[in-house]
Amino acid sequence: MEYLDFELPIKELEEQLDKCMVIGEESDVDVTETCKQIEKKLTETRKDIYKNLTAWQRVQLSRHPNRPYTLDYIKAICGDTFLELHGDRTVKDDKAMIGGLGKIGDQSYMFIGQQKGYNTKTRQYRNFGMANPEGYRKALRLMKSAEKFQVPVVCLIDTPGAYPGIEAEERGQGEAIARNILEMTRLKVPIIVVIIGEGASGGALGIGVGDKVLMLENTWYSVISPESCSSILWRSWEYKERAAEALKLTATDMKKLKLIDEIIREPAGGAHANRPKTFETVKNKISSHFDDLQKLSPKELVNQRMDKYAQMGVFNG
């Protein structure tokens, strides 16, 4: 288990608890009461730390190396029913953007999302979750297939941004993202978007237009990362914490600004602290929102979606 800097008091208490248990096992000393006291303190410390997280600490949690990624969610939610689909039919198969058909119960869904890697080798293979234009074109192809066969779309967002390389620009990165945003606004099937980690810039928006947009508690959604914002405004990464506060990028801020529909609570310690519980919660949220959306006709669905986005950013002076 890896710990972030603000989680170190938890680490110390967990180590004390382990030592206490070892002493109890290896000797005749009764350590039950001591262990109970440490456990009580551990619970209280956890509660205090995670109750008062800053925006920057939530950004750190969203990037936690043990945090589940898109494929983890899909495999846990769909089991063996997931069938991955590949390629954009123009350039190649983008490994940073994954998609395919899967079932929750008897209902089929088209799952699409960015996939990061678990170690150096897989991170390079997945391009650190940064999709090229062909990734967004693959996502659009899958969405159009879903529309054709009347299958709802679920998008799982977790990206530090679209790939900013020269070759991505040469192949039309901006156009691919803009095309996706346009097409998603008028897709005639329900779209449920869940931000499971980082939701950065146009890379997130390229699969982020939905009838329902949900955010896990310790995730962020913003036009720019705190580090990049800090380097532009202050010519240094040192002010990233200040930038994170100013950007209003947390789930709470997004809900207040009416840019998302719901915050999904995470177990104490973040999504990685209790993966099964997190997967179950996300699965239930997808199903319940689909139950509401399937009552609408395709025309009502599109009109409601267009109205929702048209109302964003309206200022009444």
Side-chain angles (χ1 to χ4, degrees):
M1 183 71 176
E2 293 189 44
Y3 295 87
L4 300 167
D5 52 1
F6 64 89
E7 293 177 311
L8 292 178
I10 294 168
K11 184 187 178 185
E12 285 168 20
L13 285 166
E14 283 181 348
E15 284 171 356
Q16 283 176 28
L17 187 61
D18 288 342
K19 282 176 190 170
C20 188
M21 284 174 170
V22 169
I23 291 165
E25 285 167 13
E26 293 177 355
S27 67
D28 297 329
V29 181
D30 184 11
V31 292
T32 314
E33 198 55 43
T34 312
C35 285
K36 275 183 184 173
Q37 285 175 352
I38 297 170
E39 278 175 355
K40 190 184 174 187
K41 197 174 179 190
L42 182 60
T43 307
E44 286 170 2
T45 308
R46 264 207 192 101
K47 211 173 176 182
D48 288 342
I49 287 173
Y50 297 116
K51 192 172 64 180
N52 303 303
L53 291 175
T54 64
W56 173 245
Q57 285 169 342
R58 291 200 191 277
V59 171
Q60 286 179 291
L61 270 176
S62 76
R63 298 169 175 168
H64 199 288
N66 300 122
R67 196 174 175 87
Y69 297 135
T70 297
L71 275 174
D72 298 319
Y73 281 93
I74 291 172
K75 283 171 184 171
I77 290 169
C78 302
D80 297 332
T81 65
F82 181 63
L83 172 69
E84 190 174 349
L85 301 168
H86 300 271
D88 72 334
R89 302 292 183 268
T90 308
V91 179
K92 62 176 183 179
D93 182 40
D94 192 327
K95 305 298 181 194
M97 185 76 76
I98 58 116
L101 290 160
K103 282 187 170 185
I104 298 177
D106 294 326
Q107 176 61 49
S108 294
Y109 293 87
M110 180 67 81
F111 286 90
I112 297 163
Q114 292 101 349
Q115 175 67 21
K116 293 177 177 177
Y118 302 93
N119 52 38
T120 307
K121 196 174 179 182
T122 55
R123 280 175 193 140
Q124 286 176 323
Y125 178 72
R126 298 288 181 187
N127 200 30
F128 299 86
M130 296 187 290
N132 276 283
E134 47 273 21
Y136 292 99
R137 290 178 182 131
K138 169 165 82 170
L140 181 58
R141 180 178 77 79
L142 299 185
M143 286 180 211
K144 285 292 185 184
S145 294
E147 183 180 52
K148 182 180 178 181
F149 297 108
Q150 297 181 325
V151 174
V153 174
V154 175
C155 295
L156 302 172
I157 294 176
D158 185 13
T159 181
Y163 184 59
I166 293 171
E167 61 272 35
E169 297 300 334
E170 284 173 346
R171 294 197 293 274
Q173 185 71 285
E175 187 277 337
I177 291 169
R179 170 72 55 194
N180 275 26
I181 293 170
L182 170 68
E183 295 294 346
M184 286 182 87
T185 57
R186 57 192 188 192
L187 207 70
K188 292 182 178 69
V189 289
I191 308 171
I192 298 164
V193 176
V194 188
I195 296 148
I196 59 168
E198 299 184 271
S201 193
L205 279 179
I207 59 166
V209 178
D211 299 294
K212 294 291 175 187
V213 180
L214 321 175
M215 267 180 95
L216 266 79
E217 197 177 355
N218 297 310
T219 61
W220 61 278
Y221 200 18
S222 174
V223 71
I224 194 169
S225 73
E227 294 94 332
S228 300
C229 177
S230 173
S231 64
I232 290 169
L233 293 180
W234 293 284
R235 309 285 180 201
S236 164
W237 277 26
E238 281 178 34
Y239 301 94
K240 54 187 182 288
E241 294 177 39
R242 193 167 152 193
E245 290 294 338
L247 283 165
K248 303 291 178 200
L249 43 66
T250 66
T252 312
D253 293 322
M254 287 285 132
K255 185 79 173 72
K256 254 184 220 167
L257 295 166
K258 297 179 182 174
L259 298 174
I260 63 161
D261 300 287
E262 191 181 343
I263 299 168
I264 301 173
R265 297 284 162 213
E266 292 184 24
H272 57 283
N274 188 341
R275 285 177 167 226
K277 189 179 177 184
T278 307
F279 297 146
E280 190 62 30
T281 308
V282 171
K283 178 181 171 180
N284 292 339
K285 291 288 180 190
I286 291 168
S287 296
S288 66
H289 281 294
F290 172 68
D291 289 342
D292 294 337
L293 293 169
Q294 71 172 336
K295 294 167 189 168
L296 303 171
S297 69
K299 192 177 179 181
E300 287 172 325
L301 207 60
V302 173
N303 287 342
Q304 197 171 290
R305 194 185 304 145
M306 293 290 266
D307 289 344
K308 174 187 167 181
Y309 282 91
Q311 284 164 16
M312 286 183 186
V314 170
F315 176 70
N316 297 317

